[in-house]
Amino acid sequence: MTESKRNLLNKVWDAHTVRELPSGQSQLFIGTHLIHEVTSPQAFAMLRERGLKVRFPDRTFATVDHIIPTDDTERPLKDPLAEAMFVEIEKNTKEGGITFFDQGSGHQGVVHVMGPEMGITQPGMTVACGDSHTSTHGAFGAVAFGIGTSQVRDVLATQCITMKRLKVRKICVKGTPQNGVNAKDIVLHIIRTLGVNGGTGYAYEYAGPTISDMDMEERMTLCNMTIEGGARVGYVNPDEKTFEYLRGRPYAPQGEAFERAKEWWKSISSDEKAEYDDIVHFDASIIAPTVTWGINPSHAIGVDENIPSSESVSEDERGSVVEALEYMKLSPNAPIAGTPVDVVFIGSCTNGRISDLRAAAEIAKLGKVADGVKALVVPGSQDVERQALAEGLPEIFRNAGFEYRQPGCSMCLAMNPDQLVGDQVCASTSNRNFKGRQGSPTGRTLLMSPVMAAAAALTGKVTDVREMLK
Amino acid sequence: MSSTSVEKITGRGCPVPGNDIDTDRIIPARFMKVVTFDGLGEHLFEDAREQANGKHAVDDKRFEGANILIAERNFGCGSSREHAPQALLRFGFKAFIAQSFAEIFAGNCCALGLPAVCVSEADGKALADAVELNPESEITVDLVAEEVRCGETVYPASIPAGVRKQLVEGTWDATAVLLEAGGDIETKASSIPYVQGF
Ligand code: SF4
């Protein structure tokens, strides 16, 4: 019986397929649509051009995150272009009857932080957003993926998109991570191993004891980075942790409906004997704190390793290594530990949640930000901000010499005033180390976990946080 | 509104070397502070061009007016920003040839009716070399024959079957296709437990 061997992706896919199209793609119903100010204005304009209306306004939720300043959020925003984008999403959500979490709502934040904490993201849903890190929501056992602006238009107009069914690769992780090693290190290690385009055509199902042990926020970090390995979707089967996280959240089912929901959520999980297109295994116990040295997230090494040289890699990788070394101005074969940093950024949809701030604060307590280092802590949302305040985290950061800011994407992609200058090196908890990503065309990004970034802030250089935790 | 059929694109090529050219490089985020896609073409590859001191392929006089971009591996990786293919389109590119494309980028190209076809590594290199040698060569990306032609040479080209069908049949405008489902969309919605509030 095929019924007993299905994985979550296929179950969710079937449950949401309106019809199969002649192109071989599916017309897929989108349960939750999230929008932000950067990739939605053109979609609304296209909708108007065609005389179409938002078909399911209560299935779309909006926030502002990318362009928001993290120091002075007074309206009108100082940057007229940013202000124009803000006005546009206000207008579009009002006209479309869409719920908009702006600062006044008390729930504004990076879209992938806001959705889960409001209980909007739930198991078994299809979630789409004009943003590649929509994969984050897979942490709940949702099938969640980034879409382009024309597809945002499609969802607004029809609550559907056309998409080809993905293959599924099961990524089994076992082993207890070392002290100081967390989801960020594990996912950087996976991307390093499978490559930046290793996941093309696949959804990644993360499974195994290490994943079961992770809390929901770690699972979000893991799924968030999935797109950096070329897989559009990453997910974890929902379990009791998932259900407990959701219980009582504003948009989660309440009371008896919650119990009924739980039964459905369990039913859409991968069957015990589910079939996969591919299975790979990792041992988390041997993973060191992992840091990127180059210009894409697969350019990652353990903090105790040396930066590669063009001779130390396969011919296939040579070109990319040479280009990366030149851009990063790093010496081949030198240890990555000890690389000086100018800026530290703790935040983003990868690592801007309360557990990330807590972990970084534990390190911040151990010292002061090194001379000459600018260290920025940016909570992922207003909810994170409130919780952090209740726990006294801002004070810990400020006492240690960090700047503590207001929620937004901030220096993850620097569409607001938080930007690198010149060829500054930034230890960043975000997800992309592309050339110019953090706002300066020559800026250099080293991706790492929140504890590693906090450690770098205190020492002014890439530091093995395991030493500090001894 | 139905879209037009895209069977082939003919013109001249512009080889842009390098693997993993990401969307931030195609259009840096600071130029995304816009509410329309107009004007994005001006900022295509802005930082890379600046750093190349006018020697970037798209500034090379020999490739002026080219409408087919020849890339290498994993072109368009990174973000979902449609600003990337929009910038390429507004700069004048109507088709893309590479060894591979990032998935969301390829999807965005299809949504705009822009073919993104894959050729083998060897053929990709040969094609780029041929264009370097003779920038005036006429290139055709032929979706019906599934090949790229350059002068006398024919290179087999692949594109996902569904996407090819959408382009050739002129059904790449997804909104129009999706709307055809009519009330089936609401029917589907009412069968999904969470849409009904459990
Ligand atoms: S935090 Fe960074 S990656 Fe996440 S949504 Fe914002 S800009 Fe994108």
Side-chain angles (χ1 to χ4, degrees):
Chain A
M1 207 171 98
T2 53
E3 198 66 7
S4 65
K5 293 184 180 173
R6 293 162 73 214
N7 57 45
L8 179 143
L9 181 113
N10 285 322
K11 290 187 195 185
V12 172
W13 202 278
D14 292 340
H16 292 80
T17 299
V18 176
R19 56 180 186 144
E20 299 296 344
L21 299 167
S23 62
Q25 294 172 311
S26 313
Q27 174 159 356
L28 207 60
F29 185 83
I30 299 302
T32 292
H33 182 214
L34 301 168
I35 58 172
H36 61 71
E37 74 282 11
V38 179
T39 54
S40 68
Q42 299 88 347
F44 282 99
M46 295 187 229
L47 209 65
R48 274 186 210 107
E49 245 169 59
R50 296 177 186 210
L52 294 168
K53 289 224 159 357
V54 181
R55 183 121 162 204
F56 288 77
D58 55 353
R59 304 226 65 88
T60 294
F61 298 88
T63 191
V64 271
D65 47 12
H66 288 65
I67 51 115
I68 286 296
T70 55
D71 43 8
D72 179 2
T73 52
E74 184 116 9
R75 299 285 301 278
L77 301 177
K78 295 229 162 46
D79 174 351
L81 296 172
E83 176 64 22
M85 295 177 88
F86 204 141
V87 168
E88 194 71 13
I89 194 160
E90 284 176 317
K91 181 184 91 182
N92 289 332
T93 49
K94 191 149 180 267
E95 270 181 36
I98 294 165
T99 305
F100 177 38
F101 296 110
D102 62 1
Q103 282 106 330
S105 72
H107 302 298
Q108 173 266 339
V110 181
V111 63
H112 312 307
V113 178
M114 178 280 287
E117 68 194 5
M118 293 303 285
I120 293 170
T121 307
Q122 297 167 19
M125 277 181 169
T126 44
V127 180
C129 173
D131 195 285
S132 59
H133 293 101
T134 307
S135 58
T136 312
H137 306 265
F140 291 80
V143 172
F145 40 79
I147 54 177
T149 296
S150 294
Q151 287 176 304
V152 173
R153 171 201 66 201
D154 296 343
V155 180
L156 291 171
T158 70
Q159 203 59 34
C160 295
I161 63 161
T162 61
M163 191 160 156
K164 189 164 177 335
R165 191 184 291 249
L166 298 162
K167 292 183 284 182
V168 183
R169 172 178 293 145
K170 186 176 188 179
I171 298 190
C172 303
V173 190
K174 65 168 176 53
T176 307
Q178 300 165 35
N179 200 10
V181 173
N182 53 56
K184 184 63 162 289
D185 307 293
I186 294 170
V187 72
L188 282 171
H189 182 85
I190 291 172
I191 296 165
R192 164 192 189 178
T193 311
L194 302 177
V196 267
N197 55 0
T200 307
Y202 283 97
Y204 283 175
E205 174 176 312
Y206 298 101
T210 314
I211 310 297
S212 303
D213 284 348
M214 286 183 179
D215 64 25
M216 290 312 296
E217 300 201 346
E218 279 197 275
R219 292 179 193 178
M220 285 188 244
T221 302
L222 181 72
C223 292
N224 173 277
M225 293 285 292
T226 301
I227 183 66
E228 306 309 329
R232 209 167 169 180
V233 167
Y235 68 86
V236 177
N237 280 297
D239 60 10
E240 287 302 324
K241 281 186 191 164
T242 320
F243 309 146
E244 285 321 302
Y245 178 99
L246 284 167
R247 193 186 289 279
R249 298 214 175 238
Y251 285 84
Q254 311 288 333
E256 278 177 26
F258 188 84
E259 299 310 315
R260 286 194 296 275
K262 238 165 95 167
E263 289 315 304
W264 187 69
W265 294 340
K266 285 180 190 162
S267 76
I268 53 87
S269 297
S270 292
D271 296 318
E272 215 160 307
K273 295 210 171 95
E275 289 171 344
Y276 298 93
D277 300 282
D278 190 26
I279 302 182
V280 292
H281 294 272
F282 286 91
D283 179 357
S285 68
I286 57 164
I287 298 174
T290 301
V291 180
T292 65
W293 59 271
I295 54 172
N296 74 51
S298 78
H299 289 154
I301 52 176
V303 66
D304 45 12
E305 290 177 55
N306 291 349
I307 298 164
S309 65
S310 57
E311 294 86 43
S312 68
V313 296
S314 67
E315 195 183 331
D316 198 40
E317 292 167 86
R318 196 159 295 151
S320 127
V321 167
V322 171
E323 186 185 356
L325 285 171
E326 194 186 327
Y327 180 85
M328 295 298 290
K329 302 180 191 149
L330 292 175
S331 316
N333 301 317
I336 186 79
T339 304
V341 305
D342 308 298
V343 177
V344 172
F345 169 61
I346 297 175
S348 86
C349 60
T350 315
N351 284 126
R353 297 188 176 77
I354 189 67
S355 58
D356 300 310
L357 267 50
R358 277 183 201 135
E362 284 305 309
I363 302 296
K365 279 181 191 162
L366 302 175
K368 293 262 183 259
V369 171
D371 283 345
V373 173
K374 177 189 171 77
L376 221 61
V377 179
V378 183
S381 70
Q382 289 183 305
D383 281 284
V384 173
E385 188 181 34
R386 263 194 304 280
Q387 183 61 30
L389 187 64
E391 297 180 22
L393 305 185
E395 202 183 325
I396 296 173
F397 285 118
R398 288 197 184 109
N399 285 344
F402 288 81
E403 292 177 39
Y404 187 81
R405 298 287 188 82
Q406 293 173 55
C409 294
S410 180
M411 210 184 263
C412 173
L413 95 165
M415 278 186 77
N416 75 347
D418 307 334
Q419 302 179 349
L420 295 184
V421 179
D423 66 355
Q424 280 180 327
V425 174
C426 179
S428 178
T429 66
S430 54
N431 43 45
R432 286 192 174 135
N433 52 344
F434 296 154
K435 289 180 177 178
R437 171 75 178 183
Q438 294 190 284
S440 162
T442 50
R444 298 176 282 171
T445 303
L446 309 179
L447 301 176
M448 59 189 78
S449 74
V451 286
M452 282 288 288
L458 302 192
T459 60
K461 54 191 187 223
V462 175
T463 301
D464 190 340
V465 70
R466 289 174 298 185
E467 303 290 324
M468 287 192 172
L469 293 168
K470 267 184 187 154
Chain B
M1 184 168 143
S2 63
S3 37
T4 50
S5 154
V6 181
E7 292 188 346
K8 62 179 179 197
I9 303 286
T10 298
R12 287 188 302 116
C14 173
V16 175
N19 291 329
D20 307 315
I21 293 187
D22 58 71
T23 48
D24 281 78
R25 226 170 311 160
I26 296 171
I27 182 83
R30 61 184 188 280
F31 303 115
M32 287 164 54
K33 267 194 252 165
V34 289
V35 293
T36 76
F37 289 128
D38 308 338
L40 282 180
E42 282 167 47
H43 300 296
L44 179 70
F45 294 124
E46 174 128 339
D47 295 340
R49 288 162 73 182
E50 165 102 27
Q51 281 152 22
N53 280 320
K55 295 212 173 66
H56 192 279
V58 299
D59 291 318
D60 192 326
K61 284 270 173 284
R62 296 177 301 151
F63 306 129
E64 207 173 305
N67 58 352
I68 300 172
L69 187 139
I70 305 162
E72 293 187 359
R73 193 173 64 202
N74 198 28
F75 186 74
C77 61
S79 87
S80 62
R81 62 184 74 156
E82 192 171 300
H83 303 67
Q86 289 278 4
L88 288 157
L89 170 67
R90 279 151 214 273
F91 189 85
F93 292 110
K94 300 278 188 298
F96 307 100
I97 303 170
Q99 292 157 37
S100 62
F101 294 94
E103 214 164 298
I104 302 182
F105 178 84
N108 283 339
C109 287
C110 174
L112 300 177
L114 303 172
V117 302
C118 296
V119 293
S120 72
E121 187 176 341
D123 286 351
K125 290 211 159 84
L127 180 64
D129 288 348
V131 173
E132 282 284 351
L133 210 64
N134 182 6
E136 295 302 321
S137 310
E138 183 180 274
I139 300 179
T140 299
V141 174
D142 188 332
L143 296 176
V144 178
E146 289 185 83
E147 62 191 30
V148 170
R149 293 185 294 274
C150 176
E152 299 296 297
T153 320
V154 177
Y155 306 97
S158 64
I159 180 163
V163 175
R164 172 172 170 260
K165 207 172 153 76
Q166 285 172 284
L167 291 168
V168 171
E169 294 182 353
T171 54
W172 49 269
D173 182 311
T175 304
V177 172
L178 293 166
L179 282 171
E180 285 167 15
D184 288 356
I185 298 174
E186 277 72 15
T187 308
K188 182 78 231 180
S190 64
S191 77
I192 301 172
Y194 65 83
V195 177
Q196 296 311 307
F198 293 101

